[in-house]
Amino acid sequence: MRIETAEANRGFVASANRGATAAPESADLLFLNSDTEITGGALDEMRRVLGLRPRAAVCCPLSNNATYLSVPRYQQEGELPEGLDAQAMARYVRAAAGGMEVLEVPTPVGFCMLVRRGAWREWGPFDAAFGRGYGEEDDFGQRVQATGGSIVCAPRAFVYHRGKASFGVSSDAAELRRVNGKLLMSRWPDYAPRTKAFCQANPLRPMHERLWHLLLSAPESRDRHVLHLVARWEGSGPLRSRTLELARATRGIANHTVLVPMPDRGAWLDAIDHEVERGIRVVGLIRFEERFGRFLDASPATLVHVHGEENWKAMGIFEAARAAGRATLQTPEAALDIERCAAAYKT
């Protein structure tokens, strides 16, 4: 092993370029933040995925803190689920990925990137115009794609990332993001709309839903999952209380996802996770009418429980459930018969 040291911190861009130059000419390059933990098999899986796509320049893993490659909370920073270390989380990720081996993505996520050496010779190095860092991996990725290369994700590989160790949350870091973001957009005007469209479509949604099911599950509830449709969510109040009371009373029978319509404020995501506890998760779905059918297709739900007499029928909810082969149960908002609901969940 060879270690390169520097007398002063020159930032990520200069350090990464220096390391790439010092590495053996035949070696692929792993760019890795200092606040990461590579789990067993992750690097081998990233190498394997690069091998599946000859024109792929970069492969990135999933992580708990990797913007649109974040799991289980999509596009949200997050620690590992309670009771799990990085290795255990990696096992859940592999199980949830199933047969999904490779996904082409619009830009690398810089905390962990495996770069093919030939691609680095063709498209590297990182541009020194990005100073200490932020945006240099996006700029590299756009150069790759502009001339026929691709960026891929290995959905069966998980790398833990603590986050913000390199730059922190200082005003200097915010200014660096702003300046470098402006530079990136001036060079690649289609970067933002193309990446936003990918994030809103979120082809990883089926994997996310399988992962949530595994993480929520007690062993006895692995085969059943109820998708509750609730018109609104609230910090307190009777609707919240009744829904959570029912879910808590029956989480030994099934897992529960509470799905709530969310207004579209231009977010770079399709759904946002709000709350989670053992056996229960609350998630807001943006552009609900447009996306419900796709969300249901991705969900492991065995039953759709429709709460209240809202405009669910006009929104095509029951047709979508029938098309997906899911049973439905509708109950009034004012009262919930827990025993009746439990019996329905079992069957």
Short mmCIF file of all heavy atoms in Angstrom, two decimals, residues 189-239:
data_model
loop_
_atom_site.label_atom_id
_atom_site.label_comp_id
_atom_site.label_asym_id
_atom_site.label_seq_id
_atom_site.Cartn_x
_atom_site.Cartn_y
_atom_site.Cartn_z
N PRO A 189 -26.41 23.30 -19.35
CA PRO A 189 -27.76 23.80 -19.03
C PRO A 189 -28.83 22.72 -18.96
O PRO A 189 -29.88 22.95 -18.34
CB PRO A 189 -28.04 24.78 -20.19
CG PRO A 189 -27.05 24.45 -21.25
CD PRO A 189 -25.85 23.90 -20.56
N ASP A 190 -28.60 21.56 -19.55
CA ASP A 190 -29.61 20.50 -19.47
C ASP A 190 -29.40 19.59 -18.26
O ASP A 190 -30.19 18.67 -18.04
CB ASP A 190 -29.61 19.66 -20.75
CG ASP A 190 -28.34 18.83 -20.93
OD1 ASP A 190 -27.29 19.24 -20.38
OD2 ASP A 190 -28.40 17.79 -21.60
N TYR A 191 -28.35 19.85 -17.47
CA TYR A 191 -28.07 18.99 -16.32
C TYR A 191 -29.23 18.99 -15.33
O TYR A 191 -29.71 17.92 -14.92
CB TYR A 191 -26.79 19.46 -15.61
CG TYR A 191 -26.62 18.90 -14.22
CD1 TYR A 191 -26.08 17.64 -14.00
CD2 TYR A 191 -27.04 19.63 -13.09
CE1 TYR A 191 -25.94 17.12 -12.74
CE2 TYR A 191 -26.92 19.10 -11.82
CZ TYR A 191 -26.36 17.86 -11.64
OH TYR A 191 -26.24 17.34 -10.37
N ALA A 192 -29.70 20.16 -14.93
CA ALA A 192 -30.75 20.24 -13.90
C ALA A 192 -32.06 19.63 -14.37
O ALA A 192 -32.62 18.77 -13.68
CB ALA A 192 -30.93 21.68 -13.44
N PRO A 193 -32.62 20.01 -15.53
CA PRO A 193 -33.91 19.40 -15.92
C PRO A 193 -33.81 17.90 -16.16
O PRO A 193 -34.74 17.15 -15.84
CB PRO A 193 -34.28 20.16 -17.20
CG PRO A 193 -33.03 20.82 -17.67
CD PRO A 193 -32.21 21.08 -16.46
N ARG A 194 -32.69 17.44 -16.69
CA ARG A 194 -32.55 16.01 -16.97
C ARG A 194 -32.43 15.22 -15.66
O ARG A 194 -33.05 14.16 -15.50
CB ARG A 194 -31.30 15.78 -17.84
CG ARG A 194 -31.19 14.40 -18.44
CD ARG A 194 -30.15 14.41 -19.55
NE ARG A 194 -28.86 14.88 -19.10
CZ ARG A 194 -27.94 14.12 -18.50
NH1 ARG A 194 -28.19 12.84 -18.29
NH2 ARG A 194 -26.79 14.63 -18.12
N THR A 195 -31.66 15.74 -14.71
CA THR A 195 -31.49 15.05 -13.44
C THR A 195 -32.77 15.12 -12.62
O THR A 195 -33.16 14.13 -11.98
CB THR A 195 -30.31 15.67 -12.66
OG1 THR A 195 -29.14 15.63 -13.48
CG2 THR A 195 -30.04 14.89 -11.39
N LYS A 196 -33.44 16.26 -12.64
CA LYS A 196 -34.70 16.39 -11.91
C LYS A 196 -35.74 15.41 -12.44
O LYS A 196 -36.45 14.76 -11.66
CB LYS A 196 -35.22 17.83 -12.01
CG LYS A 196 -36.52 18.06 -11.27
CD LYS A 196 -36.95 19.51 -11.38
CE LYS A 196 -38.26 19.76 -10.66
NZ LYS A 196 -38.69 21.18 -10.74
N ALA A 197 -35.83 15.27 -13.75
CA ALA A 197 -36.79 14.34 -14.35
C ALA A 197 -36.50 12.91 -13.92
O ALA A 197 -37.43 12.14 -13.62
CB ALA A 197 -36.77 14.46 -15.87
N PHE A 198 -35.23 12.54 -13.88
CA PHE A 198 -34.87 11.19 -13.43
C PHE A 198 -35.27 10.98 -11.98
O PHE A 198 -35.84 9.95 -11.61
CB PHE A 198 -33.36 10.98 -13.59
CG PHE A 198 -32.87 9.64 -13.10
CD1 PHE A 198 -32.76 8.57 -13.96
CD2 PHE A 198 -32.54 9.45 -11.76
CE1 PHE A 198 -32.33 7.33 -13.52
CE2 PHE A 198 -32.10 8.22 -11.31
CZ PHE A 198 -31.99 7.15 -12.19
N CYS A 199 -34.98 11.97 -11.14
CA CYS A 199 -35.27 11.84 -9.71
C CYS A 199 -36.77 11.75 -9.46
O CYS A 199 -37.22 10.99 -8.59
CB CYS A 199 -34.69 13.03 -8.95
SG CYS A 199 -32.87 13.07 -8.93
N GLN A 200 -37.56 12.52 -10.20
CA GLN A 200 -39.01 12.46 -10.02
C GLN A 200 -39.59 11.15 -10.53
O GLN A 200 -40.56 10.63 -9.97
CB GLN A 200 -39.67 13.65 -10.73
CG GLN A 200 -39.41 14.97 -10.04
CD GLN A 200 -40.08 16.13 -10.75
OE1 GLN A 200 -40.29 16.11 -11.96
NE2 GLN A 200 -40.41 17.17 -9.99
N ALA A 201 -39.01 10.59 -11.59
CA ALA A 201 -39.45 9.29 -12.09
C ALA A 201 -39.02 8.17 -11.14
O ALA A 201 -39.73 7.19 -10.93
CB ALA A 201 -38.91 9.05 -13.49
N ASN A 202 -37.84 8.30 -10.57
CA ASN A 202 -37.27 7.39 -9.57
C ASN A 202 -37.45 5.90 -9.93
O ASN A 202 -38.30 5.21 -9.35
CB ASN A 202 -37.86 7.64 -8.18
CG ASN A 202 -37.15 6.82 -7.11
OD1 ASN A 202 -36.09 6.26 -7.35
ND2 ASN A 202 -37.74 6.75 -5.94
N PRO A 203 -36.65 5.41 -10.85
CA PRO A 203 -36.74 3.98 -11.20
C PRO A 203 -36.34 3.05 -10.06
O PRO A 203 -36.57 1.84 -10.16
CB PRO A 203 -35.77 3.85 -12.39
CG PRO A 203 -34.87 5.03 -12.30
CD PRO A 203 -35.66 6.13 -11.68
N LEU A 204 -35.80 3.59 -8.97
CA LEU A 204 -35.46 2.77 -7.81
C LEU A 204 -36.64 2.57 -6.86
O LEU A 204 -36.51 1.88 -5.86
CB LEU A 204 -34.30 3.40 -7.03
CG LEU A 204 -32.90 3.23 -7.63
CD1 LEU A 204 -31.92 4.16 -6.94
CD2 LEU A 204 -32.43 1.79 -7.52
N ARG A 205 -37.81 3.17 -7.17
CA ARG A 205 -38.94 3.08 -6.25
C ARG A 205 -39.31 1.64 -5.88
O ARG A 205 -39.55 1.36 -4.70
CB ARG A 205 -40.14 3.83 -6.83
CG ARG A 205 -41.44 3.75 -6.03
CD ARG A 205 -41.27 4.22 -4.58
NE ARG A 205 -40.81 5.58 -4.47
CZ ARG A 205 -40.38 6.13 -3.34
NH1 ARG A 205 -40.34 5.43 -2.21
NH2 ARG A 205 -39.96 7.38 -3.33
N PRO A 206 -39.39 0.68 -6.83
CA PRO A 206 -39.72 -0.70 -6.41
C PRO A 206 -38.73 -1.26 -5.40
O PRO A 206 -39.12 -1.94 -4.44
CB PRO A 206 -39.68 -1.49 -7.72
CG PRO A 206 -39.96 -0.48 -8.78
CD PRO A 206 -39.30 0.78 -8.29
N MET A 207 -37.45 -0.97 -5.58
CA MET A 207 -36.44 -1.43 -4.63
C MET A 207 -36.63 -0.75 -3.28
O MET A 207 -36.51 -1.40 -2.22
CB MET A 207 -35.05 -1.14 -5.21
CG MET A 207 -33.90 -1.69 -4.41
SD MET A 207 -33.23 -0.45 -3.29
CE MET A 207 -31.89 -1.39 -2.58
N HIS A 208 -36.96 0.54 -3.28
CA HIS A 208 -37.21 1.26 -2.02
C HIS A 208 -38.36 0.61 -1.25
O HIS A 208 -38.28 0.43 -0.03
CB HIS A 208 -37.58 2.72 -2.30
CG HIS A 208 -36.42 3.57 -2.70
ND1 HIS A 208 -36.36 4.91 -2.43
CD2 HIS A 208 -35.27 3.29 -3.36
CE1 HIS A 208 -35.23 5.42 -2.89
NE2 HIS A 208 -34.56 4.45 -3.46
N GLU A 209 -39.43 0.30 -1.95
CA GLU A 209 -40.60 -0.27 -1.26
C GLU A 209 -40.31 -1.66 -0.71
O GLU A 209 -40.74 -2.01 0.39
CB GLU A 209 -41.81 -0.29 -2.21
CG GLU A 209 -42.26 1.10 -2.64
CD GLU A 209 -42.42 2.06 -1.46
OE1 GLU A 209 -43.14 1.72 -0.51
OE2 GLU A 209 -41.79 3.14 -1.50
N ARG A 210 -39.57 -2.48 -1.45
CA ARG A 210 -39.18 -3.79 -0.92
C ARG A 210 -38.28 -3.63 0.29
O ARG A 210 -38.40 -4.38 1.28
CB ARG A 210 -38.46 -4.60 -2.00
CG ARG A 210 -39.37 -5.09 -3.12
CD ARG A 210 -38.68 -6.12 -3.98
NE ARG A 210 -37.54 -5.59 -4.71
CZ ARG A 210 -37.61 -5.08 -5.94
NH1 ARG A 210 -38.77 -5.01 -6.57
NH2 ARG A 210 -36.52 -4.64 -6.55
N LEU A 211 -37.38 -2.64 0.25
CA LEU A 211 -36.48 -2.41 1.38
C LEU A 211 -37.25 -1.97 2.62
O LEU A 211 -37.01 -2.47 3.73
CB LEU A 211 -35.43 -1.37 1.00
CG LEU A 211 -34.42 -0.99 2.09
CD1 LEU A 211 -33.63 -2.20 2.56
CD2 LEU A 211 -33.46 0.10 1.58
N TRP A 212 -38.20 -1.05 2.44
CA TRP A 212 -39.00 -0.62 3.59
C TRP A 212 -39.76 -1.80 4.19
O TRP A 212 -39.86 -1.93 5.41
CB TRP A 212 -39.98 0.48 3.17
CG TRP A 212 -39.41 1.86 3.24
CD1 TRP A 212 -39.15 2.71 2.21
CD2 TRP A 212 -39.00 2.56 4.42
NE1 TRP A 212 -38.62 3.89 2.66
CE2 TRP A 212 -38.52 3.83 4.02
CE3 TRP A 212 -39.00 2.24 5.78
CZ2 TRP A 212 -38.04 4.76 4.92
CZ3 TRP A 212 -38.53 3.19 6.69
CH2 TRP A 212 -38.06 4.43 6.26
N HIS A 213 -40.30 -2.65 3.35
CA HIS A 213 -41.05 -3.81 3.85
C HIS A 213 -40.15 -4.69 4.72
O HIS A 213 -40.54 -5.13 5.81
CB HIS A 213 -41.62 -4.61 2.69
CG HIS A 213 -42.39 -5.82 3.11
ND1 HIS A 213 -43.59 -5.74 3.78
CD2 HIS A 213 -42.12 -7.15 2.98
CE1 HIS A 213 -44.04 -6.96 4.03
NE2 HIS A 213 -43.17 -7.83 3.55
N LEU A 214 -38.93 -4.94 4.26
CA LEU A 214 -38.01 -5.76 5.03
C LEU A 214 -37.60 -5.09 6.33
O LEU A 214 -37.50 -5.73 7.38
CB LEU A 214 -36.76 -6.07 4.20
CG LEU A 214 -36.96 -6.95 2.96
CD1 LEU A 214 -35.67 -7.02 2.15
CD2 LEU A 214 -37.43 -8.34 3.35
N LEU A 215 -37.37 -3.77 6.28
CA LEU A 215 -36.93 -3.05 7.48
C LEU A 215 -38.04 -2.93 8.52
O LEU A 215 -37.77 -2.95 9.72
CB LEU A 215 -36.43 -1.65 7.10
CG LEU A 215 -35.14 -1.59 6.29
CD1 LEU A 215 -34.88 -0.17 5.82
CD2 LEU A 215 -33.95 -2.11 7.08
N LEU A 216 -39.27 -2.79 8.06
CA LEU A 216 -40.40 -2.66 9.00
C LEU A 216 -40.76 -3.97 9.66
O LEU A 216 -41.34 -3.99 10.75
CB LEU A 216 -41.63 -2.13 8.26
CG LEU A 216 -41.60 -0.70 7.74
CD1 LEU A 216 -42.84 -0.42 6.91
CD2 LEU A 216 -41.47 0.31 8.87
N SER A 217 -40.46 -5.07 9.02
CA SER A 217 -41.07 -6.35 9.37
C SER A 217 -40.60 -6.93 10.67
O SER A 217 -39.41 -7.00 10.96
CB SER A 217 -40.78 -7.37 8.27
OG SER A 217 -41.51 -7.08 7.11
N ALA A 218 -41.57 -7.40 11.44
CA ALA A 218 -41.32 -8.45 12.41
C ALA A 218 -41.48 -9.76 11.65
O ALA A 218 -42.19 -9.82 10.65
CB ALA A 218 -42.34 -8.37 13.55
N PRO A 219 -40.82 -10.83 12.08
CA PRO A 219 -40.86 -12.08 11.30
C PRO A 219 -42.27 -12.55 10.98
O PRO A 219 -42.53 -13.06 9.90
CB PRO A 219 -40.13 -13.08 12.21
CG PRO A 219 -39.21 -12.24 13.03
CD PRO A 219 -39.95 -10.95 13.26
N GLU A 220 -43.23 -12.34 11.89
CA GLU A 220 -44.56 -12.87 11.66
C GLU A 220 -45.36 -12.06 10.65
O GLU A 220 -46.42 -12.49 10.19
CB GLU A 220 -45.34 -12.94 12.98
CG GLU A 220 -45.63 -11.59 13.63
CD GLU A 220 -44.52 -11.11 14.55
OE1 GLU A 220 -43.40 -11.65 14.45
OE2 GLU A 220 -44.77 -10.20 15.35
N SER A 221 -44.90 -10.84 10.29
CA SER A 221 -45.68 -9.99 9.39
C SER A 221 -45.06 -9.84 8.01
O SER A 221 -45.47 -9.00 7.22
CB SER A 221 -45.88 -8.61 10.01
OG SER A 221 -44.64 -7.95 10.17
N ARG A 222 -44.08 -10.68 7.69
CA ARG A 222 -43.37 -10.52 6.43
C ARG A 222 -44.24 -10.73 5.20
O ARG A 222 -43.96 -10.21 4.14
CB ARG A 222 -42.18 -11.49 6.39
CG ARG A 222 -40.99 -11.02 7.24
CD ARG A 222 -39.97 -10.28 6.39
NE ARG A 222 -39.05 -9.51 7.21
CZ ARG A 222 -37.91 -9.98 7.68
NH1 ARG A 222 -37.57 -11.22 7.45
NH2 ARG A 222 -37.14 -9.21 8.41
N ASP A 223 -45.31 -11.52 5.31
CA ASP A 223 -46.11 -11.84 4.13
C ASP A 223 -47.25 -10.87 3.89
O ASP A 223 -47.91 -10.96 2.85
CB ASP A 223 -46.69 -13.26 4.26
CG ASP A 223 -45.61 -14.32 4.25
OD1 ASP A 223 -44.54 -14.05 3.65
OD2 ASP A 223 -45.82 -15.39 4.83
N ARG A 224 -47.53 -9.96 4.81
CA ARG A 224 -48.67 -9.06 4.67
C ARG A 224 -48.22 -7.60 4.81
O ARG A 224 -47.39 -7.29 5.65
CB ARG A 224 -49.74 -9.36 5.71
CG ARG A 224 -50.33 -10.78 5.63
CD ARG A 224 -51.50 -10.91 6.58
NE ARG A 224 -52.07 -12.26 6.55
CZ ARG A 224 -51.76 -13.21 7.42
NH1 ARG A 224 -50.90 -12.96 8.39
NH2 ARG A 224 -52.32 -14.40 7.34
N HIS A 225 -48.82 -6.76 3.97
CA HIS A 225 -48.48 -5.34 4.01
C HIS A 225 -49.73 -4.56 3.60
O HIS A 225 -50.28 -4.78 2.51
CB HIS A 225 -47.32 -5.05 3.06
CG HIS A 225 -46.66 -3.72 3.29
ND1 HIS A 225 -45.31 -3.60 3.51
CD2 HIS A 225 -47.16 -2.46 3.33
CE1 HIS A 225 -45.01 -2.32 3.68
NE2 HIS A 225 -46.12 -1.61 3.57
N VAL A 226 -50.17 -3.65 4.45
CA VAL A 226 -51.36 -2.85 4.18
C VAL A 226 -50.93 -1.45 3.76
O VAL A 226 -50.12 -0.80 4.44
CB VAL A 226 -52.28 -2.76 5.42
CG1 VAL A 226 -53.50 -1.89 5.12
CG2 VAL A 226 -52.71 -4.16 5.85
N LEU A 227 -51.48 -0.99 2.63
CA LEU A 227 -51.25 0.37 2.16
C LEU A 227 -52.49 1.19 2.50
O LEU A 227 -53.57 0.99 1.94
CB LEU A 227 -51.00 0.37 0.64
CG LEU A 227 -50.71 1.73 0.01
CD1 LEU A 227 -49.41 2.31 0.55
CD2 LEU A 227 -50.66 1.62 -1.50
N HIS A 228 -52.34 2.10 3.48
CA HIS A 228 -53.45 2.95 3.92
C HIS A 228 -53.46 4.24 3.09
O HIS A 228 -52.43 4.91 2.99
CB HIS A 228 -53.29 3.33 5.40
CG HIS A 228 -53.26 2.17 6.33
ND1 HIS A 228 -54.37 1.74 7.02
CD2 HIS A 228 -52.25 1.32 6.70
CE1 HIS A 228 -54.06 0.69 7.77
NE2 HIS A 228 -52.79 0.42 7.59
N LEU A 229 -54.60 4.58 2.53
CA LEU A 229 -54.74 5.85 1.83
C LEU A 229 -55.48 6.82 2.74
O LEU A 229 -56.64 6.59 3.10
CB LEU A 229 -55.51 5.66 0.53
CG LEU A 229 -54.92 4.67 -0.48
CD1 LEU A 229 -55.65 4.77 -1.81
CD2 LEU A 229 -53.43 4.89 -0.68
N VAL A 230 -54.78 7.89 3.12
CA VAL A 230 -55.32 8.88 4.05
C VAL A 230 -55.24 10.24 3.36
O VAL A 230 -54.21 10.59 2.77
CB VAL A 230 -54.52 8.87 5.37
CG1 VAL A 230 -55.05 9.93 6.32
CG2 VAL A 230 -54.59 7.49 6.01
N ALA A 231 -56.31 11.01 3.43
CA ALA A 231 -56.41 12.25 2.66
C ALA A 231 -55.41 13.31 3.11
O ALA A 231 -55.00 14.16 2.31
CB ALA A 231 -57.83 12.80 2.73
N ARG A 232 -55.02 13.29 4.35
CA ARG A 232 -54.11 14.32 4.87
C ARG A 232 -53.38 13.74 6.08
O ARG A 232 -53.79 12.74 6.65
CB ARG A 232 -54.90 15.57 5.28
CG ARG A 232 -55.90 15.32 6.39
CD ARG A 232 -56.89 16.44 6.59
NE ARG A 232 -57.84 16.13 7.67
CZ ARG A 232 -58.89 15.35 7.53
NH1 ARG A 232 -59.16 14.80 6.36
NH2 ARG A 232 -59.70 15.11 8.56
N TRP A 233 -52.29 14.39 6.46
CA TRP A 233 -51.57 13.98 7.66
C TRP A 233 -51.41 15.20 8.54
O TRP A 233 -51.49 16.34 8.08
CB TRP A 233 -50.23 13.35 7.32
CG TRP A 233 -49.68 12.49 8.41
CD1 TRP A 233 -48.50 12.64 9.08
CD2 TRP A 233 -50.29 11.31 8.95
NE1 TRP A 233 -48.34 11.65 10.01
CE2 TRP A 233 -49.43 10.82 9.96
CE3 TRP A 233 -51.49 10.65 8.71
CZ2 TRP A 233 -49.71 9.69 10.71
CZ3 TRP A 233 -51.77 9.52 9.44
CH2 TRP A 233 -50.90 9.05 10.44
N GLU A 234 -51.19 14.98 9.79
CA GLU A 234 -51.16 16.08 10.75
C GLU A 234 -50.28 15.72 11.93
O GLU A 234 -50.05 14.54 12.21
CB GLU A 234 -52.60 16.36 11.23
CG GLU A 234 -53.31 15.10 11.70
CD GLU A 234 -54.83 15.20 11.69
OE1 GLU A 234 -55.37 16.22 11.24
OE2 GLU A 234 -55.47 14.24 12.15
N GLY A 235 -49.74 16.74 12.58
CA GLY A 235 -48.91 16.50 13.75
C GLY A 235 -49.70 15.95 14.93
O GLY A 235 -49.16 15.24 15.77
N SER A 236 -50.98 16.28 14.98
CA SER A 236 -51.86 15.76 16.01
C SER A 236 -53.29 15.85 15.49
O SER A 236 -53.56 16.55 14.51
CB SER A 236 -51.73 16.56 17.31
OG SER A 236 -52.09 17.92 17.10
N GLY A 237 -54.18 15.13 16.14
CA GLY A 237 -55.57 15.18 15.71
C GLY A 237 -56.17 13.80 15.58
O GLY A 237 -55.46 12.78 15.61
N PRO A 238 -57.50 13.73 15.42
CA PRO A 238 -58.19 12.45 15.45
C PRO A 238 -57.84 11.52 14.29
O PRO A 238 -57.77 10.30 14.47
CB PRO A 238 -59.67 12.83 15.44
CG PRO A 238 -59.70 14.23 14.89
CD PRO A 238 -58.43 14.87 15.33
N LEU A 239 -57.65 12.07 13.08
CA LEU A 239 -57.34 11.20 11.93
C LEU A 239 -56.01 10.50 12.14
O LEU A 239 -55.89 9.28 11.94
CB LEU A 239 -57.32 12.03 10.64
CG LEU A 239 -56.93 11.26 9.37
CD1 LEU A 239 -57.88 10.09 9.12
CD2 LEU A 239 -56.92 12.20 8.17
#
